[in-house]
Amino acid sequence: MSDQTPYDAATAAAARLAELTGVVRHDVALVLGSGWLPAVDALGEATAEIDTTDLPGFSAAAVAGHSGKIRSIRCTDSEGSERNLLVFLSRTHFYEGKGVAAVVHPIRTAAAAGCAAIVLTNGCGGLKQGWQPGQPVLISDHINLTGTSPIVGANFVDLTDLYSPRLRAMCREIDPSLDEGVYVQFPGPHYETPAEVRMAGVLGGQLVGMSTTLEAIAAREAGMEILGISLVTNLAAGLSGEPLNHEEVLEAGKAAASRMGGLLSQVVSKI
Ligand code: 8IG
């Protein structure tokens, strides 16, 4: 089906998702980044869990500690109504080389499944003095250094207030100690050099990572309200005096799981 658009592919994936989960419509989507997996159990009981590869258009997870699963969770919102969460326990990264359409296919599938809002989480390096590994930070805006877009053609999508001021305020009501920062997406999969980290700072960034911006753009194109939360899992390269490693990322997630789980479950009930 070479003439199938990415939007058609997402509609097909959403239809299969509804069949496999028995949930006709999902309300809020979450994408869990590095270190966020331990927080998922706080969201509620799973109605269903499927492999991403059970849905058309998804490819297998590629990173240790990333699980290629999609969980459907039923919870109650702050007014007592039932709400269905669509949780992607992993993502496809730009650095996997599968193309931008593959990176944002889960986002478009969530939109096609009915989600009006999406929570994009990630693990990242932090630049700001005083930030500690294990600290969640709200994404206020982004700088996309991948040099590409998920949107093809003359569709000039506006990215003002891409990361919803309403949802950020909601998070700060839940946890007034939350800070926020500008997220800079590098292509990866290598981490930045210390000089590139300094460049990100000069450009106005405080968070450096390898995901999220392309997904946020696709989510905005699809009309979803977007919340972005980074878990600072490590100080950005050159700032700590130690080399970076993936294990510290997973450790930071475990250590911060209850704070992040509490934040996520409270905010999704209020969205
Ligand atoms: I977790 O320091 C994680 N992902 N680019 N830099 C980049 N990506 C990351 C980092 C980091 N930490």
Side-chain angles (χ1 to χ4, degrees):
M1 281 197 292
S2 59
D3 57 351
Q4 193 191 40
T5 71
Y7 312 98
D8 295 337
T11 303
R16 186 78 183 121
L17 173 76
E19 275 173 21
L20 289 175
T21 60
V23 177
V24 179
R25 195 188 157 81
H26 285 85
D27 304 297
V28 177
L30 291 96
V31 180
L32 299 187
S34 298
W36 285 84
L37 196 56
V40 70
D41 290 329
L43 295 172
E45 284 288 312
T47 315
E49 184 166 285
I50 63 172
D51 289 321
T52 49
T53 48
D54 292 339
L55 301 184
F58 284 80
S59 46
V63 184
H66 291 201
S67 148
K69 303 253 189 246
I70 299 171
R71 199 176 286 183
S72 179
I73 294 176
R74 187 158 300 143
C75 67
T76 312
D77 73 15
S78 52
E79 265 129 47
S81 312
E82 244 178 31
R83 174 163 289 187
N84 292 302
L85 307 178
L86 181 61
V87 185
F88 296 91
L89 303 192
S90 68
R91 55 162 49 93
T92 296
H93 286 86
F94 180 67
Y95 57 69
E96 291 173 53
K98 292 173 182 152
V100 187
V103 171
V104 301
H105 182 57
I107 311 306
R108 290 175 172 152
T109 298
C115 295
I118 188 161
V119 183
L120 299 173
T121 70
N122 61 55
C124 73
L127 271 70
K128 194 164 158 179
Q129 279 283 329
W131 281 352
Q132 297 299 329
Q135 177 170 352
V137 173
L138 301 172
I139 300 176
S140 59
D141 201 349
H142 81 216
I143 297 173
N144 168 15
L145 295 185
T146 66
T148 189
S149 171
I151 305 169
V152 177
N155 180 6
F156 307 114
V157 171
D158 172 59
L159 301 182
T160 310
D161 285 337
L162 181 61
Y163 298 90
S164 166
R166 183 182 85 94
L167 298 184
R168 279 187 274 148
M170 208 177 261
C171 286
R172 277 193 303 264
E173 247 170 58
I174 293 163
D175 182 350
S177 73
L178 282 170
D179 204 351
E180 59 179 39
V182 172
Y183 180 89
V184 183
Q185 180 176 0
F186 283 84
H190 54 273
Y191 292 120
E192 304 72 39
T193 63
E196 287 163 343
V197 169
R198 289 193 296 275
M199 176 190 79
V202 168
L203 295 180
Q206 292 91 34
L207 303 159
V208 287
M210 305 178 195
S211 69
T212 305
T213 75
L214 299 168
E215 296 161 28
I217 294 166
R220 166 57 66 89
E221 181 197 26
M224 287 191 278
E225 193 173 17
I226 300 151
L227 174 63
I229 317 177
S230 285
L231 175 69
V232 175
T233 59
N234 56 274
L235 300 180
L239 300 183
S240 74
E242 296 290 324
L244 303 183
N245 67 78
H246 188 60
E247 283 64 43
E248 72 183 326
V249 169
L250 304 179
E251 279 309 313
K254 278 184 209 150
S258 72
R259 181 177 182 195
M260 285 142 50
L263 174 62
L264 283 185
S265 64
Q266 286 187 66
V267 75
V268 297
S269 79
K270 288 178 153 197
I271 282 175

